Amino acid sequence: MHPYLQQEIWKLIAYITGAAIAGLIVGMPLFFISVTLLLYIIFFLRNQHRLYNWITDQGNSDVPEASGLWGELFNEIYQLEKQTGSNRAKLTNILKRFQEAASALPDAMAILTKRNKIEWSNKAAHKLLGINHPQDEGQPISNLIRHPKFDKYLRKNDFGKTIIIPSPNNPEIMISLQVIPFGSSQKLIMCRDVSHVIKLEEMRSLFVANVSHELRSPITVLSGYLETLQNVKDINIIHKSLHTMHEQANRMERLVTDLLALSKLETQPTDTHSNDINVPAMLLELKDAAKFVGGNKNQKITLNQDEKLHLYGNRDELQSVFSNLINNAVRYTQENGTVEISWTKDNNHAVFSVTDNGQGIPPQHIPHLTERFYRVDIDRSRESGGTGLGLAIVKHTLERHDGKLIIQSKLGEGSTVRCEVPAERTLEMQPTRDLDNA
Ligand code: ADP
């Protein structure tokens, strides 16, 4: 038994005994005992009343003062109240911090009640799900996310997987959404913007489709010739067929080489991009090689360059940029046309440019030319040995050298393709003997 209760009982026994003795002296023991008990009950009721007032005042008033059992009771309740208050403050603080953290998340979050009504949502839920907090509190979620896939997902009650749907707020944004059940039949909706992943996936499948398409035609030609050649005896036809087969094999080889070059650019680090590259010597060689690319087109190819201008970069990558652009100019320029190659420096850049007076490019195609497999005229590109990957490789390589590609063209008049690399990547060197003799 609690000592205070023991004390209280002894106190009561003492009161009754005292009253009985006093009552016996005056000959009215029962009266005295009854009055004592009545006073004791009144004292009890008064303290009960004070306790009630204090509790209903939610601890705003001071703790009632009392001694003995009642004093102890008031004190215990006061301590309990204090503890609850501090726990409540702690919980409120934790909840506030959680809400702040959840609000700052880039992923959308919403809490649903048992009946799939919105209880709470963070800021991102406004952008991705069109849910406004607190205005939409209590709204059924299906009023805001109106998509058959979501309805089915919610009805099925199987939330092991995520679903991908357009955002109710902006159909151009694709969102991945998952429902996570928690607590007593409540649900948490987690959702993120996956538009870029979907776009990448689309690009990847388009790329695979393009590669397959590009490879399929030479393979079809090759297998067609192999089949017919089995029964052909005429040596002229055999020679002609072998020539075409050789061309198709070369086409496949060029495609594979370009694909490997692209994949190398995407996967290899740029730590080999600070070698001193003698660009003038490289361009001299490429200018000579360009004459062979042109065959008997009899084009006038000129080179105007700053012979001291070297570049920090990667030899193979830079060579592929320059040769791709020079070869394009030669390939897309008619007989007796001109191709002007230039390598100079302005205040901020080293500038490589190739200007031709060839067929030119219609303006609507220019922004797309660096996309993989994009060609203005597929037949013309293939005829001249193109893979449709050249400018994509050029753009990628220039980016790896902090440079950029600018294409200007007028249909029927010709094109200028210009590469700008920051001046910090250049260095001045004395021309080599080869260049002096050139
Ligand atoms: P391709 O292997 O087809 O030449 P590129 O990526 O090098 O692929 O070029 C893409 C397209 O840009 C070409 O198919 C061609 O239509 C156009 N093009 C590039 N350079 C020139 C140029 N100098 N003159 C006209 N068209 C050009």
Side-chain angles (χ1 to χ4, degrees):
M1 197 187 289
H2 196 280
Y4 278 99
L5 188 61
Q6 249 175 1
Q7 229 177 46
E8 195 65 30
I9 292 169
W10 281 119
K11 230 174 160 180
L12 185 61
I13 293 171
Y15 289 156
I16 293 171
T17 320
I21 294 169
L24 280 172
I25 292 170
V26 288
M28 291 190 292
L30 267 182
F31 176 73
F32 269 63
I33 291 171
S34 307
V35 170
T36 305
L37 279 177
L38 187 67
L39 286 175
Y40 190 78
I41 289 167
I42 290 170
F43 166 76
F44 237 85
L45 287 175
R46 188 174 156 264
N47 277 335
Q48 239 177 38
H49 181 66
R50 288 168 73 201
L51 176 64
Y52 175 80
N53 281 349
W54 180 54
I55 288 174
T56 48
D57 200 22
Q58 296 195 328
N60 285 334
S61 53
D62 290 341
V63 194
E65 290 218 5
S67 58
L69 183 63
W70 280 101
E72 176 64 9
L73 195 63
F74 289 147
N75 189 41
E76 282 293 321
I77 295 175
Y78 173 69
Q79 294 302 337
L80 208 67
E81 170 79 7
K82 226 164 93 180
Q83 183 66 36
T84 314
S86 115
N87 284 349
R88 197 184 302 135
K90 261 190 215 157
L91 269 176
T92 315
N93 207 11
I94 290 172
L95 192 68
K96 201 173 145 215
R97 286 220 310 266
F98 166 77
Q99 289 195 343
E100 274 168 7
S103 286
L105 277 177
D107 291 351
M109 279 171 87
I111 293 177
L112 303 186
T113 62
K114 220 190 257 194
R115 296 174 183 276
N116 293 333
K117 287 185 176 173
I118 298 162
E119 191 173 308
W120 176 86
S121 65
N122 70 351
K123 262 190 208 150
H126 167 64
K127 187 182 158 214
L128 297 182
L129 298 170
I131 303 176
N132 289 314
H133 182 72
Q135 296 93 309
D136 289 330
E137 213 179 296
Q139 281 258 24
I141 188 72
S142 46
N143 279 4
L144 292 159
I145 309 179
R146 292 172 173 276
H147 195 280
K149 216 168 163 184
F150 179 71
D151 276 350
K152 197 171 155 197
Y153 181 61
L154 214 55
R155 260 187 286 114
K156 245 178 136 187
N157 223 21
D158 173 15
F159 304 122
K161 286 184 191 155
T162 54
I163 53 164
I164 293 180
I165 55 170
S167 153
N169 209 23
N170 176 358
E172 286 188 3
I173 297 178
M174 291 304 286
I175 52 171
S176 104
L177 183 151
Q178 183 164 24
V179 170
I180 303 160
F182 75 100
S184 55
S185 313
Q186 277 184 293
K187 294 181 191 87
L188 174 70
I189 292 191
M190 293 283 292
C191 149
R192 66 172 43 170
D193 181 349
V194 288
S195 314
H196 63 290
V197 182
I198 305 262
K199 208 166 205 149
L200 272 180
E201 183 51 33
E202 278 169 12
M203 276 168 68
R204 194 195 61 83
S205 22
L206 186 70
F207 180 70
V208 172
N210 277 330
V211 173
S212 321
H213 179 75
E214 291 291 329
L215 283 172
R216 191 188 291 142
S217 20
I219 290 172
T220 313
V221 176
L222 278 176
S223 61
Y225 272 104
L226 283 172
E227 215 169 285
T228 34
L229 275 182
Q230 285 171 5
N231 308 316
V232 175
K233 301 269 173 337
D234 185 336
I235 194 76
N236 284 333
I237 298 179
I238 293 176
H239 271 156
K240 240 173 126 184
S241 307
L242 283 177
H243 177 73
T244 317
M245 286 166 74
H246 190 219
E247 268 181 359
Q248 296 302 318
N250 280 345
R251 188 174 145 192
M252 284 201 286
E253 196 191 335
R254 276 194 305 273
L255 184 68
V256 172
T257 309
D258 278 359
L259 284 172
L260 284 175
L262 258 181
S263 115
K264 225 167 133 184
L265 288 175
E266 278 173 350
T267 50
Q268 278 190 356
T270 52
D271 50 5
T272 54
H273 287 60
S274 50
N275 299 326
D276 166 10
I277 310 297
N278 185 347
V279 177
M282 187 186 275
L283 290 181
L284 261 183
E285 281 174 21
L286 291 175
K287 179 197 155 193
D288 289 341
K291 289 180 194 147
F292 293 101
V293 177
N296 44 20
K297 276 179 160 180
N298 193 31
Q299 292 164 333
K300 187 174 171 216
I301 304 175
T302 60
L303 170 62
N304 163 40
Q305 62 175 340
D306 177 344
E307 291 168 354
K308 288 191 234 128
L309 189 58
H310 286 214
L311 201 63
Y312 285 119
N314 178 294
R315 170 173 296 280
D316 292 343
E317 289 186 17
L318 287 174
Q319 177 145 348
S320 102
V321 169
F322 301 142
S323 69
N324 258 309
L325 297 180
I326 296 172
N327 292 350
N328 272 359
V330 170
R331 285 165 47 222
Y332 296 109
T333 298
Q334 68 289 346
E335 281 179 15
N336 303 317
T338 58
V339 173
E340 294 164 13
I341 308 164
S342 152
W343 172 240
T344 51
K345 191 176 172 184
D346 66 17
N347 286 341
N348 304 316
H349 307 102
V351 182
F352 169 79
S353 76
V354 187
T355 302
D356 63 63
N357 66 347
Q359 62 190 72
I361 306 162
Q364 69 274 23
H365 292 288
I366 293 179
H368 303 287
L369 294 179
T370 53
E371 290 169 17
R372 288 155 195 205
F373 296 112
Y374 193 93
R375 286 171 279 203
V376 177
D377 179 341
I378 292 187
D379 292 337
R380 175 120 198 220
S381 157
R382 281 191 187 150
E383 249 169 51
S384 57
T387 58
L389 294 172
L391 290 182
I393 293 175
V394 169
K395 185 184 168 205
H396 221 94
T397 308
L398 279 176
E399 277 168 6
R400 283 159 71 87
H401 286 83
D402 314 309
K404 64 174 179 189
L405 179 71
I406 302 156
I407 304 173
Q408 291 164 322
S409 187
K410 264 201 171 152
L411 196 57
E413 289 184 22
S415 316
T416 294
V417 183
R418 189 181 153 95
C419 307
E420 292 182 353
V421 182
E424 300 85 69
R425 274 198 170 268
T426 61
L427 69 161
E428 300 246 320
M429 299 291 275
Q430 280 312 307
T432 58
R433 231 153 36 93
D434 278 359
L435 287 172
D436 294 338
N437 298 336

